[in-house]
Coordinates of all heavy atoms in Angstrom, one line a residue:
M218 N 0.8 -1.2 0.0 CA 0.0 0.0 0.0 C 0.9 1.3 0.0 O 1.9 1.3 0.7 CB -0.9 0.0 1.2 CG -1.8 1.1 1.3 SD -3.4 0.5 1.8 CE -4.5 1.4 0.8
V219 N 0.5 2.2 -0.7 CA 1.2 3.5 -0.8 C 0.9 4.4 0.3 O -0.2 4.6 0.7 CB 0.9 4.2 -2.2 CG1 1.6 5.5 -2.3 CG2 1.2 3.3 -3.3
G220 N 2.0 5.0 0.9 CA 1.8 5.9 2.1 C 1.3 7.3 1.7 O 1.6 7.7 0.5
A221 N 0.7 8.0 2.6 CA 0.3 9.3 2.3 C 1.4 10.3 2.0 O 1.2 11.3 1.2 CB -0.5 9.9 3.5
S222 N 2.6 10.0 2.6 CA 3.7 11.0 2.3 C 4.1 11.0 0.8 O 4.5 12.0 0.3 CB 4.9 10.6 3.2 OG 5.4 9.3 2.8
L223 N 4.0 9.9 0.1 CA 4.2 9.8 -1.3 C 3.3 10.8 -2.0 O 3.8 11.5 -2.9 CB 4.1 8.4 -1.8 CG 4.3 8.3 -3.4 CD1 5.8 8.6 -3.7 CD2 4.0 6.9 -3.8
F224 N 2.0 10.8 -1.7 CA 1.1 11.7 -2.4 C 1.4 13.2 -2.0 O 1.3 14.0 -2.9 CB -0.3 11.4 -2.0 CG -0.8 10.0 -2.6 CD1 -1.0 9.0 -1.7 CD2 -0.9 9.9 -3.9 CE1 -1.4 7.8 -2.3 CE2 -1.3 8.7 -4.5 CZ -1.6 7.6 -3.6
R225 N 1.8 13.4 -0.8 CA 2.1 14.8 -0.4 C 3.3 15.4 -1.2 O 3.3 16.5 -1.6 CB 2.4 14.9 1.1 CG 1.1 15.0 1.9 CD 1.4 15.4 3.4 NE 2.2 14.4 4.1 CZ 1.6 13.3 4.7 NH1 0.3 13.2 4.8 NH2 2.4 12.5 5.3
E226 N 4.3 14.5 -1.4 CA 5.5 14.9 -2.2 C 5.1 15.4 -3.6 O 5.8 16.2 -4.2 CB 6.5 13.8 -2.3 CG 7.1 13.5 -1.0 CD 8.0 12.2 -1.1 OE1 8.3 11.8 -2.2 OE2 8.4 11.7 0.0
H227 N 4.0 14.8 -4.1 CA 3.6 15.1 -5.5 C 2.5 16.2 -5.6 O 2.1 16.6 -6.7 CB 3.2 13.9 -6.2 CG 4.3 12.9 -6.4 ND1 5.3 13.1 -7.2 CD2 4.5 11.7 -5.7 CE1 6.2 12.1 -7.1 NE2 5.7 11.2 -6.2
T228 N 2.0 16.6 -4.4 CA 0.9 17.6 -4.4 C 1.2 18.9 -3.6 O 0.3 19.7 -3.6 CB -0.4 17.0 -3.9 OG1 -0.2 16.5 -2.6 CG2 -0.8 15.8 -4.8
Q229 N 2.4 19.0 -3.1 CA 2.7 20.2 -2.3 C 4.2 20.5 -2.2 O 5.0 19.6 -2.3 CB 2.1 20.1 -0.9 CG 2.7 19.1 0.0 CD 1.9 19.0 1.3 OE1 1.1 19.8 1.6 NE2 2.3 18.0 2.1
I230 N 4.5 21.7 -2.0 CA 5.8 22.2 -1.8 C 5.7 23.1 -0.5 O 4.9 24.0 -0.4 CB 6.4 23.0 -3.0 CG1 6.4 22.1 -4.2 CG2 7.7 23.6 -2.6 CD1 6.7 22.9 -5.5
V231 N 6.7 22.9 0.4 CA 6.7 23.7 1.6 C 7.9 24.6 1.6 O 9.0 24.1 1.4 CB 6.6 22.9 2.9 CG1 6.7 23.8 4.1 CG2 5.4 22.0 2.9
L232 N 7.7 25.9 1.7 CA 8.8 26.9 1.8 C 8.6 27.8 2.9 O 7.4 27.9 3.5 CB 8.8 27.7 0.5 CG 9.0 27.0 -0.8 CD1 8.8 27.9 -2.0 CD2 10.4 26.4 -0.9
S233 N 9.6 28.5 3.3 CA 9.4 29.5 4.4 C 8.7 30.8 3.8 O 8.8 31.0 2.6 CB 10.7 29.9 5.0 OG 11.5 30.7 4.1
K234 N 8.1 31.5 4.7 CA 7.4 32.8 4.2 C 8.4 33.7 3.6 O 8.1 34.4 2.6 CB 6.7 33.4 5.3 CG 5.4 32.7 5.8 CD 4.7 33.5 6.9 CE 3.5 32.8 7.3 NZ 2.8 33.5 8.4
E235 N 9.6 33.8 4.2 CA 10.6 34.6 3.6 C 11.0 34.2 2.2 O 11.2 35.1 1.3 CB 11.9 34.6 4.5 CG 11.8 35.3 5.8 CD 13.1 35.2 6.5 OE1 14.1 34.8 6.0 OE2 13.1 35.6 7.7
E236 N 11.1 32.9 1.9 CA 11.5 32.5 0.6 C 10.4 32.9 -0.4 O 10.8 33.3 -1.5 CB 11.6 31.0 0.6 CG 12.9 30.4 1.3 CD 12.9 28.9 1.2 OE1 12.1 28.3 1.8 OE2 13.9 28.4 0.6
V237 N 9.2 32.7 -0.1 CA 8.1 33.0 -1.1 C 8.0 34.5 -1.3 O 8.0 35.0 -2.4 CB 6.7 32.5 -0.6 CG1 5.6 32.9 -1.5 CG2 6.8 30.9 -0.5
G238 N 8.1 35.3 -0.2 CA 8.1 36.7 -0.3 C 7.2 37.3 -1.3 O 6.0 37.1 -1.4
D239 N 7.8 38.1 -2.2 CA 7.0 38.9 -3.3 C 6.5 38.0 -4.4 O 5.8 38.4 -5.3 CB 7.9 40.0 -3.8 CG 8.2 41.1 -2.8 OD1 7.4 41.2 -1.8 OD2 9.2 41.7 -3.0
N240 N 6.9 36.7 -4.4 CA 6.5 35.8 -5.5 C 5.2 35.2 -5.3 O 4.6 34.6 -6.2 CB 7.6 34.7 -5.6 CG 8.9 35.2 -6.1 OD1 9.0 35.8 -7.1 ND2 9.9 35.0 -5.2
R241 N 4.6 35.4 -4.2 CA 3.3 34.8 -3.9 C 2.2 35.2 -4.9 O 1.5 34.3 -5.4 CB 2.8 35.3 -2.5 CG 1.5 34.6 -2.1 CD 1.0 35.0 -0.7 NE -0.3 34.4 -0.5 CZ -0.6 33.8 0.6 NH1 0.3 33.6 1.6 NH2 -1.8 33.2 0.7
D242 N 2.1 36.5 -5.2 CA 1.1 36.9 -6.2 C 1.3 36.3 -7.6 O 0.4 35.8 -8.3 CB 1.1 38.4 -6.4 CG 0.4 39.1 -5.2 OD1 -0.3 38.5 -4.5 OD2 0.7 40.3 -5.0
F243 N 2.6 36.2 -8.0 CA 3.0 35.6 -9.3 C 2.5 34.1 -9.3 O 1.9 33.6 -10.2 CB 4.5 35.7 -9.6 CG 4.9 35.0 -10.8 CD1 4.8 35.7 -12.0 CD2 5.2 33.7 -10.9 CE1 5.1 35.1 -13.2 CE2 5.6 33.0 -12.1 CZ 5.5 33.8 -13.3
L244 N 2.8 33.4 -8.2 CA 2.5 32.0 -8.1 C 1.0 31.8 -8.1 O 0.5 30.9 -8.9 CB 3.1 31.4 -6.8 CG 4.6 31.2 -6.8 CD1 5.1 31.0 -5.3 CD2 5.0 30.1 -7.6
E245 N 0.2 32.6 -7.4 CA -1.2 32.4 -7.4 C -1.8 32.7 -8.7 O -2.8 32.1 -9.1 CB -1.8 33.4 -6.3 CG -1.6 32.9 -4.9 CD -2.2 33.8 -3.9 OE1 -2.1 35.0 -4.0 OE2 -2.8 33.3 -2.9
H246 N -1.3 33.7 -9.5 CA -1.9 34.1 -10.8 C -1.4 33.2 -11.9 O -2.1 33.2 -13.0 CB -1.6 35.5 -11.0 CG -2.4 36.4 -10.2 ND1 -1.9 37.0 -9.0 CD2 -3.7 36.9 -10.2 CE1 -2.8 37.7 -8.4 NE2 -3.9 37.7 -9.1
N247 N -0.3 32.5 -11.8 CA 0.2 31.8 -13.0 C 0.2 30.3 -12.8 O 0.4 29.6 -13.8 CB 1.7 32.2 -13.2 CG 1.8 33.6 -13.7 OD1 1.5 33.8 -14.9 ND2 2.1 34.5 -12.9
F248 N -0.2 29.8 -11.6 CA -0.3 28.4 -11.4 C -1.7 28.1 -10.7 O -2.1 28.9 -9.9 CB 0.8 27.8 -10.6 CG 2.2 28.0 -11.2 CD1 3.0 29.0 -10.8 CD2 2.6 27.2 -12.3 CE1 4.2 29.2 -11.4 CE2 3.8 27.4 -12.9 CZ 4.7 28.4 -12.4
M249 N -2.3 27.0 -11.0 CA -3.5 26.6 -10.3 C -3.2 25.9 -9.0 O -3.2 24.7 -8.9 CB -4.3 25.7 -11.2 CG -4.8 26.4 -12.5 SD -5.9 25.5 -13.5 CE -7.3 25.3 -12.5
I250 N -2.8 26.7 -8.0 CA -2.5 26.2 -6.7 C -3.2 26.9 -5.6 O -3.7 28.0 -5.8 CB -0.9 26.3 -6.5 CG1 -0.4 27.7 -6.5 CG2 -0.2 25.4 -7.4 CD1 1.0 27.9 -6.1
T251 N -3.2 26.3 -4.4 CA -3.7 27.0 -3.2 C -2.4 27.3 -2.3 O -1.6 26.4 -2.2 CB -4.6 26.1 -2.5 OG1 -5.7 25.8 -3.3 CG2 -5.1 26.7 -1.2
I252 N -2.4 28.4 -1.7 CA -1.3 28.8 -0.9 C -1.8 28.9 0.6 O -2.7 29.7 0.8 CB -0.6 30.1 -1.3 CG1 0.0 29.9 -2.7 CG2 0.5 30.5 -0.3 CD1 0.7 31.1 -3.3
A253 N -1.3 28.0 1.4 CA -1.7 28.0 2.8 C -0.6 28.4 3.7 O 0.5 27.9 3.6 CB -2.2 26.6 3.2
E254 N -0.8 29.3 4.6 CA 0.2 29.7 5.6 C 0.1 29.0 6.9 O -1.0 28.7 7.4 CB 0.1 31.2 5.9 CG 0.4 32.1 4.7 CD 0.5 33.6 5.0 OE1 0.6 33.9 6.2 OE2 0.3 34.4 4.1
E255 N 1.2 28.5 7.4 CA 1.3 27.8 8.6 C 2.5 28.3 9.4 O 3.6 28.0 9.0 CB 1.4 26.3 8.4 CG 0.3 25.7 7.5 CD 0.6 24.3 7.2 OE1 1.7 23.8 7.4 OE2 -0.3 23.6 6.8
N256 N 2.3 29.0 10.5 CA 3.4 29.6 11.3 C 4.4 30.3 10.4 O 4.0 31.3 9.8 CB 4.0 28.5 12.1 CG 3.1 27.8 13.1 OD1 2.2 28.5 13.6 ND2 3.2 26.5 13.2
D257 N 5.6 29.8 10.3 CA 6.6 30.5 9.4 C 6.7 29.9 8.1 O 7.6 30.2 7.3 CB 7.9 30.5 10.1 CG 7.9 31.3 11.4 OD1 7.2 32.3 11.4 OD2 8.7 31.0 12.3
A258 N 5.8 29.0 7.7 CA 5.9 28.2 6.4 C 4.7 28.6 5.5 O 3.7 29.0 6.0 CB 6.0 26.7 6.7
V259 N 5.0 28.4 4.3 CA 3.9 28.5 3.2 C 3.9 27.2 2.5 O 4.9 26.6 2.0 CB 4.3 29.6 2.3 CG1 3.2 29.7 1.1 CG2 4.3 31.0 3.0
R260 N 2.7 26.6 2.4 CA 2.5 25.4 1.7 C 1.8 25.6 0.4 O 0.7 26.2 0.3 CB 1.6 24.5 2.6 CG 1.5 23.0 2.2 CD 0.7 22.2 3.2 NE 1.3 22.3 4.5 CZ 2.2 21.4 4.9 NH1 2.6 20.4 4.1 NH2 2.7 21.5 6.1
L261 N 2.5 25.3 -0.7 CA 1.9 25.4 -2.1 C 1.3 24.1 -2.4 O 2.0 23.1 -2.5 CB 3.0 25.7 -3.1 CG 4.0 26.9 -2.7 CD1 5.1 27.0 -3.7 CD2 3.2 28.2 -2.5
I262 N 0.0 24.1 -2.6 CA -0.8 22.8 -2.8 C -1.4 22.8 -4.2 O -2.1 23.8 -4.5 CB -1.9 22.7 -1.7 CG1 -1.2 22.8 -0.3 CG2 -2.6 21.4 -1.9 CD1 -2.2 23.0 0.8
G263 N -1.2 21.8 -4.9 CA -1.8 21.7 -6.2 C -1.9 20.2 -6.7 O -1.5 19.3 -5.9
S264 N -2.3 20.0 -7.9 CA -2.5 18.7 -8.4 C -1.1 18.1 -8.8 O -0.1 18.8 -8.9 CB -3.3 18.7 -9.7 OG -2.6 19.3 -10.8
P265 N -1.0 16.8 -8.9 CA 0.2 16.2 -9.3 C 0.7 16.6 -10.7 O 1.9 16.4 -11.0 CB -0.1 14.7 -9.3 CG -1.3 14.5 -8.4 CD -2.1 15.8 -8.6
C266 N -0.1 17.2 -11.5 CA 0.3 17.8 -12.8 C 0.8 19.2 -12.6 O 1.7 19.6 -13.3 CB -0.9 17.8 -13.7 SG -1.5 16.2 -14.1
E267 N 0.3 20.0 -11.7 CA 0.6 21.4 -11.5 C 1.9 21.6 -10.6 O 2.7 22.5 -10.9 CB -0.5 22.1 -10.9 CG -0.4 23.6 -11.0 CD -0.6 24.1 -12.4 OE1 -1.0 23.4 -13.4 OE2 -0.3 25.3 -12.7
I268 N 2.1 20.8 -9.6 CA 3.2 21.0 -8.7 C 4.5 20.8 -9.4 O 5.4 21.6 -9.2 CB 3.1 20.0 -7.5 CG1 2.0 20.5 -6.6 CG2 4.4 19.9 -6.7 CD1 2.2 21.9 -6.0
P269 N 4.7 19.9 -10.4 CA 6.0 19.9 -11.1 C 6.3 21.1 -11.8 O 7.5 21.6 -11.9 CB 5.9 18.7 -12.0 CG 4.9 17.8 -11.4 CD 3.9 18.7 -10.7
K270 N 5.3 21.8 -12.4 CA 5.4 23.1 -13.1 C 5.9 24.1 -12.1 O 6.8 24.9 -12.4 CB 4.1 23.5 -13.8 CG 3.7 22.6 -14.9 CD 2.3 23.0 -15.4 CE 1.7 22.0 -16.2 NZ 0.3 22.3 -16.6
V271 N 5.3 24.2 -10.9 CA 5.7 25.1 -9.9 C 7.1 24.9 -9.5 O 7.9 25.8 -9.3 CB 4.7 25.0 -8.7 CG1 5.2 26.0 -7.6 CG2 3.3 25.4 -9.1
R272 N 7.4 23.6 -9.2 CA 8.8 23.2 -8.8 C 9.8 23.7 -9.8 O 10.8 24.2 -9.5 CB 8.9 21.7 -8.6 CG 10.2 21.2 -8.0 CD 10.2 19.7 -7.8 NE 9.0 19.2 -7.2 CZ 8.8 19.1 -5.9 NH1 9.7 19.6 -5.1 NH2 7.7 18.6 -5.3
T273 N 9.5 23.4 -11.1 CA 10.5 23.8 -12.2 C 10.6 25.4 -12.2 O 11.8 25.8 -12.3 CB 9.9 23.4 -13.6 OG1 9.8 21.9 -13.5 CG2 10.8 23.8 -14.7
W274 N 9.6 26.1 -12.0 CA 9.7 27.6 -12.0 C 10.5 28.0 -10.8 O 11.3 28.9 -10.9 CB 8.3 28.2 -12.0 CG 8.4 29.7 -12.1 CD1 8.6 30.5 -13.2 CD2 8.4 30.6 -11.0 NE1 8.7 31.8 -12.8 CE2 8.6 31.9 -11.5 CE3 8.3 30.4 -9.6 CZ2 8.6 33.0 -10.7 CZ3 8.3 31.6 -8.8 CH2 8.5 32.8 -9.3
L275 N 10.2 27.5 -9.6 CA 10.9 27.9 -8.4 C 12.4 27.6 -8.6 O 13.2 28.5 -8.3 CB 10.4 27.1 -7.2 CG 9.0 27.5 -6.7 CD1 8.5 26.4 -5.7 CD2 9.0 28.9 -6.1
I276 N 12.8 26.5 -9.1 CA 14.2 26.1 -9.3 C 14.8 27.1 -10.3 O 15.9 27.6 -10.1 CB 14.3 24.7 -9.8 CG1 14.0 23.7 -8.6 CG2 15.8 24.4 -10.3 CD1 13.8 22.3 -9.0
S277 N 14.1 27.5 -11.4 CA 14.6 28.4 -12.4 C 14.9 29.8 -11.8 O 15.7 30.6 -12.3 CB 13.7 28.5 -13.6 OG 12.5 29.3 -13.3
Q278 N 14.2 30.1 -10.7 CA 14.3 31.4 -10.0 C 15.3 31.3 -8.8 O 15.5 32.3 -8.1 CB 12.9 31.8 -9.5 CG 11.9 32.0 -10.5 CD 12.3 33.1 -11.6 OE1 12.7 34.2 -11.2 NE2 12.3 32.7 -12.8
G279 N 15.9 30.2 -8.7 CA 17.0 30.1 -7.6 C 16.5 29.5 -6.3 O 17.3 29.5 -5.4
F280 N 15.3 29.1 -6.2 CA 14.8 28.5 -5.0 C 15.4 27.1 -4.8 O 15.6 26.4 -5.8 CB 13.3 28.3 -5.0 CG 12.5 29.6 -4.9 CD1 12.3 30.4 -6.0 CD2 12.0 30.0 -3.6 CE1 11.6 31.6 -5.9 CE2 11.4 31.2 -3.5 CZ 11.1 32.0 -4.6
K281 N 15.7 26.7 -3.6 CA 16.2 25.4 -3.3 C 14.9 24.5 -2.9 O 14.4 24.7 -1.8 CB 17.2 25.4 -2.2 CG 18.5 26.1 -2.6 CD 19.5 26.1 -1.6 CE 20.7 26.8 -2.2 NZ 21.8 27.0 -1.3
V282 N 14.5 23.7 -3.8 CA 13.3 22.9 -3.6 C 13.7 21.5 -3.4 O 14.4 20.9 -4.3 CB 12.3 23.1 -4.7 CG1 11.0 22.2 -4.5 CG2 11.9 24.5 -5.0
V283 N 13.3 20.9 -2.3 CA 13.7 19.4 -2.1 C 12.6 18.5 -2.6 O 11.5 18.8 -2.6 CB 13.9 19.2 -0.6 CG1 14.2 17.8 -0.3 CG2 14.9 20.1 0.0

């Protein structure tokens, strides 16, 4: 059976609020994702099709995405 953590890896990216900074509006307008704030973190939540696009863009902008 597949664990829930595998699905989370393909449907969300967690970054600090500082990292997202001014890019939040761009992310919300250019990708079909939900942005949820939790303490000092921001969770970018989307479909397994959309999150890879977000990850690629973040990496192209110099973000360190695990």
Side-chain angles (χ1 to χ4, degrees):
M218 182 136 224
V219 178
S222 63
L223 177 66
F224 291 112
R225 279 192 295 272
E226 290 175 13
H227 297 289
T228 60
Q229 66 184 354
I230 299 168
V231 180
L232 300 169
S233 72
K234 286 182 182 178
E235 284 182 14
E236 287 179 296
V237 174
D239 295 335
N240 294 298
R241 182 180 177 132
D242 287 338
F243 179 87
L244 289 164
E245 287 181 316
H246 288 97
N247 290 282
F248 299 101
M249 294 183 67
I250 60 171
T251 299
I252 298 179
E254 292 189 20
E255 302 175 344
N256 300 323
D257 293 332
V259 175
R260 190 173 300 270
L261 310 176
I262 305 166
S264 74
C266 295
E267 195 69 10
I268 288 299
K270 296 175 192 173
V271 175
R272 186 180 312 278
T273 299
W274 183 82
L275 289 169
I276 291 169
S277 76
Q278 299 301 306
F280 287 84
K281 293 183 180 175
V282 181
V283 178

